[in-house]
C-alpha cells in the first residue's frame, strides 16, 4: 500500500528534478528576433534623440560648455553609452550613435539570456579545470543548445585570447540583401551582437570576465574573438 | 516547353518581385518611381549624379562571378535574357523592347488577374478558384496565398498547370529567404522582396524543372 504511493511520488519528484528538455521552434525564434531588432532600433533612436535634446538644453543653459571635440559626461541611465564622436549634429554621427546604442542593447539582452542558459546547462557538471575547459564548454554545449551545431574551429594564442569560428552561423545564415553582398555583410554585423552577448554572459556566469568581439568577413561565416584576462 | 517569367504581388497590389528566363522582347526598364526598389535590379532606374537615368547595375545571375560592382547596363545595352549576359562585349543585335515600361506591364498583368478572379467568383460563387488562363502565345498560372501574395508565372501555352511549382517556390525559397530574412521588410509599401539568395534559389528551382 505504502510502496506504490511512494514510487508514484518518487517518479513525479524525479520529473521535477530533471525536467524533459523542451525545444523552441526555429522559425518562431527567428521571427521574434527580427521584431526584436526592429523594435530596439526604434527605441534606441528615441533614446539617443532624448539624450541629445537634454545635452542641448544643458549647453544652452550654460551648464555645459559646448564641447569642440571632447564629449561631456552626460548622465544617463545606461552608463555604458558614451558619445565618442564630436558634437556636430551630423546625420552620419547620429546614425552611428543609434547603431551603437542598438548594438549595446542587443548585447546586454544577450548577456542576460546567456547567463541563464549557462546556468541551466551547467547544473550537472563539476567545476571547470581551466579557462580552456570553459571555452570548450561554450563551443560545444552552448552552441548546440542555441544554434544546433558545434563551433567549427577554435584557435588560441595560449595567452587568454580565443577565436571561435563558425562556418555557417545560424542567426546570419539567411541574411541577404538586394543591394549585393557588401551591403548584406555590413548589415549582418548587427545580428551577431546578441550572440556575442550570450557568450559573454555565459562566461561571466561561469566566473570569467571576457570581452567578446564578433567579426563577419564572409557570409555566413562568423568568428568571435574572446579575450580573457591573463592569469584567470 | 519553357517558363517565361515570374511576378510576385503582395496584398497591397504592388509588384514586389520579378524574374524572367525567356522572353521574346526584353522588358523596358520602369519609369522613375514606377516600381519599388528591390523588385528587380535590371529594371530599377535611378537618376545618376549627372541627371541621366540608368539601371542600377546589371544583376549578375551567376552569383559566383559577382561583386565587381561595375555598372555595365545602360538602357540600350539591356541584355535580352540573363543567359546572354557576356560581360565585356554587348550583344550584336540591339534587343527589342516591348512598347510598355515595366511598371505599366506589371500593373496590366495584375489587373487582368484581379478582374478575372472577381468575375469568376461572381459567376460561380466564392468556392471557385481562378487558376490559369491560356492564350495563343502563353499560359498564365496563378497561385494565391491566404496572406494575399500572388505568385504569377507565364509559360508556353502547352504546359500543364504549374501551380505546384509556384507552391514549391512559396514553401521553399519564399519562406526561407524572404520571411526569415531579417533584412527584408515584408509588407512595406516602399521596398520589394528581391535579394540575392531568393533570386538564386528560385532560379535553381525553375532551371531544374523538366519543363524548363
Amino acid at each position: 500500500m505504502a510502496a506504490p504511493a511512494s514510487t508514484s511520488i518518487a517518479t513525479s519528484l524525479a520529473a521535477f528534478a530533471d525536467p524533459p528538455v523542451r525545444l523552441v521552434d526555429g522559425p518562431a525564434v527567428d521571427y521574434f528576433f527580427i521584431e526584436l531588432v526592429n523594435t530596439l532600433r526604434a527605441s534606441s533612436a528615441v533614446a539617443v534623440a532624448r539624450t541629445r535634446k537634454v545635452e542641448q538644453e544643458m549647453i544652452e543653459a550654460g551648464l555645459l560648455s559646448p564641447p569642440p571635440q571632447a564629449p561631456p559626461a552626460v548622465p544617463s541611465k545606461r552608463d555604458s553609452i558614451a558619445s565618442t564622436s564630436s558634437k556636430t549634429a551630423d546625420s552620419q554621427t547620429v546614425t552611428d550613435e543609434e547603431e551603437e546604442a542598438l548594438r549595446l542593447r542587443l548585447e546586454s539582452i544577450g548577456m542576460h539570456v546567456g547567463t541563464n542558459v549557462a546556468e541551466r546547462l551547467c547544473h550537472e557538471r563539476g567545476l571547470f579545470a581551466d579557462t580552456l575547459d570553459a571555452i570548450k564548454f561554450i563551443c560545444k554545449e552552448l552552441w548546440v543548445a542555441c544554434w544546433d551545431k558545434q563551433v567549427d574551429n577554435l584557435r588560441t594564442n595560449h595567452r587568454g585570447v580565443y577565436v571561435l569560428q563558425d562556418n555557417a552561423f545560424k542567426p546570419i545564415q539567411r541574411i541577404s540583401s538586394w543591394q549585393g553582398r557588401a551591403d548584406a555583410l555590413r548589415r549582418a554585423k548587427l545580428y551577431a551582437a546578441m550572440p556575442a552577448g550570450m557568450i559573454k554572459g555565459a562566461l561571466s556566469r561561469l566566473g570569467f570576465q571576457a570581452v567578446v568581439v564578433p567579426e563577419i568577413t564572409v557570409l555566413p561565416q562568423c568568428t568571435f574573438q574572446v579575450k580573457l584576462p591573463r592569469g584567470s | 516547353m519553357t517558363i517565361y517569367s515570374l511576378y510576385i504581388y503582395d496584398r497591397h497590389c504592388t509588384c514586389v518581385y520579378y524574374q524572367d528566363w525567356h522572353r521574346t522582347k526584353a522588358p523596358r526598364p520602369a519609369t522613375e518611381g514606377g516600381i519599388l526598389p528591390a523588385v528587380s535590379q535590371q529594371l530599377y532606374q535611378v537618376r545618376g549624379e549627372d541627371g541621366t537615368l540608368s539601371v542600377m547595375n546589371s544583376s549578375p545571375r551567376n552569383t559566383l562571378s559577382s561583386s565587381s560592382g561595375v555598372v555595365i547596363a545602360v538602357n540600350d545595352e539591356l541584355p535580352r535574357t540573363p543567359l546572354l549576359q557576356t560581360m565585356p562585349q554587348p550583344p550584336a543585335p540591339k534587343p527589342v523592347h516591348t512598347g510598355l515600361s515595366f511598371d505599366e506591364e506589371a500593373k496590366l498583368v495584375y489587373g487582368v488577374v484581379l478582374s478575372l478572379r472577381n468575375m469568376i467568383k461572381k459567376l460561380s460563387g466564392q468556392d471557385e478558384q481562378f487558376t490559369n488562363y491560356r492564350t495563343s502565345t502563353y499560359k498564365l498560372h496563378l497561385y494565391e496565398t491566404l496572406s494575399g501574395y500572388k505568385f504569377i508565372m507565364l509559360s508556353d501555352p502547352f504546359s500543364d498547370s504549374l501551380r505546384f511549382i509556384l507552391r514549391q517556390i512559396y514553401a521553399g525559397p519564399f519562406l526561407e529567404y524572404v520571411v526569415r530574412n531579417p533584412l527584408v521588410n515584408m509588407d512595406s509599401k516602399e521596398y520589394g522582396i528581391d535579394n540575392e539568395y531568393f533570386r538564386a534559389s528560385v532560379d535553381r528551382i525553375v532551371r531544374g524543372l523538366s519543363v524548363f
Side-chain angles (χ1 to χ4, degrees):
Chain A
M1 316 152 289
S6 69
T7 48
S8 70
I9 291 174
T11 45
S12 54
L13 280 179
F16 270 117
D18 205 6
V21 174
R22 289 196 167 79
L23 303 174
V24 182
D25 186 32
V29 168
D30 277 354
Y31 305 146
F32 176 67
F33 285 162
I34 292 173
E35 291 312 307
L36 178 77
V37 172
N38 292 339
T39 310
L40 283 179
R41 183 172 278 137
S43 112
S44 64
V46 167
V48 165
R50 197 170 50 212
T51 45
R52 284 184 153 263
K53 187 157 162 283
V54 167
E55 283 168 16
Q56 200 57 36
E57 282 171 12
M58 289 175 82
I59 289 172
E60 279 164 17
L63 295 171
L64 285 176
S65 54
Q69 289 297 328
V74 176
S76 86
K77 288 198 190 111
R78 306 198 64 84
D79 52 2
S80 42
I81 295 181
S83 61
T84 52
S85 49
S86 75
K87 279 304 180 199
T88 58
D90 221 4
S91 61
Q92 183 60 36
T93 48
V94 169
T95 40
D96 281 345
E97 273 186 36
E98 289 175 7
E99 281 278 313
E100 182 61 25
L102 174 59
R103 196 193 62 79
L104 279 165
R105 278 171 173 77
L106 284 173
E107 197 172 325
S108 50
I109 288 179
M111 279 189 66
H112 289 133
V113 171
T115 50
N116 294 330
V117 170
E119 189 75 58
R120 223 185 129 149
L121 291 174
C122 299
H123 78 282
E124 273 168 7
R125 28 171 323 147
L127 286 174
F128 291 108
D130 59 356
T131 56
L132 184 62
D133 229 18
I135 296 285
K136 286 206 282 203
F137 164 79
I138 299 273
C139 291
K140 294 192 185 143
E141 307 208 14
L142 185 81
W143 233 262
V144 165
C146 298
W147 302 302
D148 282 336
K149 62 190 285 278
Q150 295 189 1
V151 160
D152 293 313
N153 200 336
L154 170 65
R155 293 192 294 272
T156 173
N157 69 354
H158 296 292
R159 289 206 195 96
V161 178
Y162 298 87
V163 177
L164 287 67
Q165 180 176 328
D166 191 334
N167 290 331
F169 191 48
K170 222 161 162 236
I172 58 173
Q173 217 173 17
R174 292 177 178 83
I175 290 189
S176 174
S177 157
W178 63 288
Q179 278 164 324
R181 299 247 168 114
D183 183 61
L185 199 73
R186 188 177 48 87
R187 289 157 80 177
K189 284 191 174 33
L190 195 65
Y191 294 88
M194 199 174 110
M198 283 165 79
I199 300 171
K200 192 170 168 188
L203 283 170
S204 77
R205 184 56 69 94
L206 300 173
F208 303 99
Q209 296 306 316
V211 173
V212 181
V213 176
E215 244 183 63
I216 308 178
T217 42
V218 167
L219 284 172
Q221 206 185 62
C222 186
T223 58
F224 293 91
Q225 202 191 47
V226 179
K227 279 199 198 82
L228 289 166
R230 304 197 53 182
S232 63
Chain B
M1 293 247 278
T2 48
I3 310 276
Y4 296 154
S5 53
L6 170 73
Y7 299 73
I8 300 182
Y9 294 86
D10 67 356
R11 67 189 179 104
H12 301 295
C13 313
T14 41
C15 183
V16 289
Y17 185 75
Y18 170 72
Q19 189 169 0
D20 61 20
W21 290 272
H22 300 294
R23 272 183 76 133
T24 46
K25 292 186 187 161
R28 181 187 292 270
T31 56
E32 206 186 350
I35 58 171
L36 304 175
V39 171
S40 173
Q41 289 280 28
Q42 81 188 103
L43 299 169
Y44 179 58
Q45 296 206 81
V46 277
R47 202 165 272 283
E49 267 138 29
D50 51 355
T52 54
L53 278 178
S54 64
V55 174
M56 264 183 75
N57 59 5
S58 65
S59 78
R61 299 284 190 248
N62 180 8
T63 52
L64 292 175
S65 65
S66 71
S67 75
S68 66
V70 175
V71 174
I72 294 176
V74 183
N75 252 340
D76 45 352
E77 282 185 2
L78 201 61
R80 188 192 300 255
T81 73
L83 300 171
L84 288 184
Q85 199 166 26
T86 54
M87 294 299 216
Q89 311 97 358
K94 190 170 153 175
V96 182
H97 287 299
T98 58
L100 298 169
S101 64
F102 178 75
D103 55 324
E104 291 175 32
E105 182 187 310
K107 285 198 193 115
L108 281 176
V109 169
Y110 185 74
V112 154
V113 164
L114 194 70
S115 327
L116 281 175
R117 208 171 58 115
N118 291 348
M119 240 193 300
I120 284 167
K121 284 209 155 51
K122 285 208 181 104
L123 273 177
S124 330
Q126 285 293 331
D127 295 332
E128 199 83 0
Q129 296 261 3
F130 165 56
T131 53
N132 48 46
Y133 76 78
R134 194 174 67 149
T135 73
S136 52
T137 42
Y138 68 89
K139 191 171 188 184
L140 180 146
H141 311 258
L142 167 73
Y143 176 69
E144 190 177 349
T145 69
L146 279 174
S147 49
Y149 278 90
K150 298 169 191 58
F151 292 74
I152 292 174
M153 186 174 265
L154 270 62
S155 69
D156 72 296
F158 307 110
S159 68
D160 305 319
S161 175
L162 295 180
R163 268 169 65 94
F164 75 98
I165 293 171
L166 290 172
R167 196 154 161 275
Q168 266 184 357
I169 291 179
Y170 174 60
F174 189 80
L175 287 185
E176 283 275 307
Y177 298 120
V178 174
V179 180
R180 267 177 101 170
N181 186 345
L183 300 185
V184 167
N185 201 356
M186 287 187 71
D187 218 33
S188 82
K189 302 195 185 156
E190 300 153 25
Y191 287 98
I193 58 173
D194 187 16
N195 61 64
E196 203 188 331
Y197 288 178
F198 181 55
R199 195 164 279 273
S201 48
V202 168
D203 202 41
R204 204 176 328 130
I205 283 186
V206 167
R207 282 181 203 275
L209 292 173
S210 56
V211 298
F212 186 72

